[in-house]
Amino acid sequence: MHLESNAFRRQEEMKNQIQSHVESKVGEIKDHVNSCIEKIEEDVQSVKREIGEVKGEVERKIEEVEDKVQGEIEEVKGKVQVKIGDLEKRHSELEDRPINFPANPDLTYSRPTVKSLTFDGQTSWTVFKTQFDVVSSANGWNNRVKASQLVASLRGSAAEVLQGIPSDKLTDLTTIENALEARFGDSHLTQFYRTELKTRRQKPRESLQVLAADVERLMSLAYAECPQDVRESLAAQYFVDAIRDEDTQHTTRLMDAKDLKSALAYSMKYEAAKTVSKTSRNVRSIEIEDGTAKEKDEKFDCLLETLEKLLNSHVARKKIPRRNPNMTCWKCIKKGHVQRECQTISPNQEN
């Protein structure tokens, strides 16, 4: 009886040790699973924060591009409005300005058949004089009429030249032409204009249209004596060399434009296409990042679900311990149950 008591006590101690060990292991597994879940949640939040930062940066870049393009459009609109205002002002001044000539039979002439020109000193004097001679010949003007028409055609700084001419010489064509030649003649400035043309570069925020207009102006001053087709070809080359953006310059050069107008049109199309392409790439990048983030979220959700199932399985094992079918009863020496569940009646109990 004493042996049975010792054996039962050892069995209980062993059982308690095993149960304690199992509970300890289950606790460790549970703590490890909880730690993994917390780490995964931290990684998920970190990834979401990074995605938010990237989205904000992309949106900011798109807004900067839109603001820049809108600013350039507004700047061009402002310049156009200023030009229109100047033209309207000059037109109004011409309509209000009285032109009084002394009664002289030499000034009697028929209504011009070709519209008169204007000269403000900003364009080539040589070119204007050639055009003025052609108009004068077409209208049949004599020298006195030509002098009067030349005086009436002057604007801005060119009209200021008249202040240095005596009043009795304002009807003398030679005197007026010599004064204009001395002030605006470009024969001695040809090399200067050619050097300026070679070193001309597009300024920051300067549009391609403004650059092309300035190249055309310098061409008329530097190569006034050249044939028209030669001037057009040279103007296209100088325009391409002056373009600031290297990609636009290289692409326009490969196009091999024969005149300034074609080079300008192609370069503007390329810049517009590049701007649209850049915006499209930014939008696609945002869509790809959204898709990647969604895929990562799905993977994390799947992993969390797997861990939750594993945790539930360990808890279930703890609540419903499995019975070893090979355990032996110390009372009846039979397998399948323990002593406290044994229903066999011992000889002592019968007595």
Side-chain angles (χ1 to χ4, degrees):
M1 191 69 179
H2 180 69
L3 292 176
E4 290 180 0
S5 175
N6 291 337
F8 178 76
R9 187 169 51 256
R10 285 196 300 271
Q11 183 180 5
E12 288 295 327
E13 291 177 354
M14 184 181 299
K15 180 180 178 181
N16 292 334
Q17 290 177 358
I18 293 173
Q19 185 174 0
S20 176
H21 181 71
V22 170
E23 291 177 351
S24 175
K25 289 297 181 181
V26 171
E28 291 178 0
I29 293 174
K30 184 177 180 180
D31 293 340
H32 180 69
V33 171
N34 291 333
S35 177
C36 292
I37 293 174
E38 292 177 356
K39 184 63 170 60
I40 291 172
E41 291 177 350
E42 292 177 358
D43 293 341
V44 170
Q45 295 299 326
S46 177
V47 171
K48 289 183 177 180
R49 284 194 299 270
E50 292 179 359
I51 292 174
E53 292 175 358
V54 172
K55 285 183 178 180
E57 183 67 18
V58 171
E59 292 175 354
R60 187 179 63 81
K61 291 292 185 182
I62 293 176
E63 290 177 357
E64 289 180 357
V65 172
E66 292 177 349
D67 293 341
K68 182 178 179 181
V69 173
Q70 187 63 31
E72 293 179 354
I73 292 174
E74 295 298 331
E75 183 179 354
V76 172
K77 286 183 178 180
K79 291 181 179 179
V80 171
Q81 293 296 332
V82 171
K83 291 291 184 182
I84 293 175
D86 291 342
L87 292 174
E88 292 178 348
K89 182 178 179 181
R90 290 181 181 179
H91 183 265
S92 177
E93 291 177 353
L94 288 176
E95 290 180 344
D96 297 338
R97 179 187 298 177
I99 302 177
N100 298 320
F101 296 101
N104 193 319
D106 293 335
L107 297 178
T108 304
Y109 58 97
S110 60
R111 183 181 181 85
T113 57
V114 180
K115 187 177 180 180
S116 300
L117 306 173
T118 58
F119 178 67
D120 58 2
Q122 301 298 318
T123 57
S124 172
W125 159 251
T126 303
V127 174
F128 172 77
K129 187 176 183 303
T130 301
Q131 295 175 327
F132 183 79
D133 290 340
V134 172
V135 173
S136 300
S137 177
N139 291 332
W141 295 337
N142 57 33
N143 286 343
R144 291 182 66 84
V145 175
K146 289 173 65 175
S148 301
Q149 289 293 325
L150 180 58
V151 170
S153 67
L154 300 181
R155 301 285 186 274
S157 59
E160 295 175 359
V161 174
L162 300 176
Q163 297 177 358
I165 301 176
S167 58
D168 59 336
K169 293 293 185 178
L170 290 177
T171 56
D172 183 66
L173 180 63
T174 304
T175 302
I176 298 173
E177 287 182 345
N178 290 338
L180 292 171
E181 177 67 30
R183 174 72 180 276
F184 300 105
D186 49 16
S187 59
H188 62 289
L189 296 175
T190 298
Q191 190 59 41
F192 170 78
Y193 290 130
R194 291 181 180 180
T195 302
E196 187 177 356
L197 189 60
K198 291 179 182 178
T199 58
R200 180 69 166 86
R201 294 295 180 270
Q202 185 181 11
K203 302 173 184 176
R205 301 185 68 84
E206 182 181 28
S207 65
L208 292 172
Q209 298 96 314
V210 175
L211 175 64
D214 193 49
V215 169
E216 187 174 17
R217 179 185 68 83
L218 293 173
M219 281 297 304
S220 64
L221 296 172
Y223 296 96
E225 73 284 357
C226 291
Q228 183 67 21
D229 56 342
V230 177
R231 288 174 56 188
E232 287 291 341
S233 179
L234 287 175
Q237 295 178 20
Y238 284 125
F239 170 74
V240 174
D241 292 339
I243 295 177
R244 183 182 183 89
D245 185 75
E246 293 183 359
D247 291 340
T248 305
Q249 183 189 76
H250 180 67
T251 305
T252 308
R253 194 187 306 280
L254 292 177
M255 187 256 184
D256 193 21
K258 301 301 180 183
D259 53 66
L260 178 60
K261 183 178 180 181
S262 300
L264 174 62
Y266 186 84
S267 61
M268 290 179 64
K269 288 181 180 179
Y270 179 79
E271 278 201 344
K274 188 167 68 170
T275 301
V276 173
S277 177
K278 185 182 296 184
T279 304
S280 300
R281 285 198 302 270
N282 290 335
V283 173
R284 286 198 299 270
S285 177
I286 294 175
E287 293 176 351
I288 292 173
E289 290 177 356
D290 288 342
T292 304
K294 183 178 180 180
E295 183 178 355
K296 289 182 178 179
D297 289 341
E298 292 177 353
K299 290 182 178 179
F300 281 125
D301 292 339
C302 181
L303 181 58
L304 288 175
E305 184 178 354
T306 302
L307 291 174
E308 185 178 358
K309 290 180 179 179
L310 180 61
L311 179 61
N312 292 334
S313 175
H314 282 291
V315 173
R317 290 177 183 178
K318 180 181 178 182
K319 291 181 178 179
I320 307 176
R322 295 181 179 179
R323 173 172 293 180
N324 188 357
N326 295 323
M327 64 177 57
T328 303
C329 176
W330 290 91
K331 183 177 181 181
C332 64
I333 316 300
K334 293 181 180 181
K335 296 181 177 181
H337 63 276
V338 294
Q339 184 176 350
R340 68 170 178 271
E341 298 175 355
C342 182
Q343 298 181 359
T344 303
I345 301 175
S346 64
N348 295 333
Q349 292 178 339
E350 292 179 354
N351 295 329

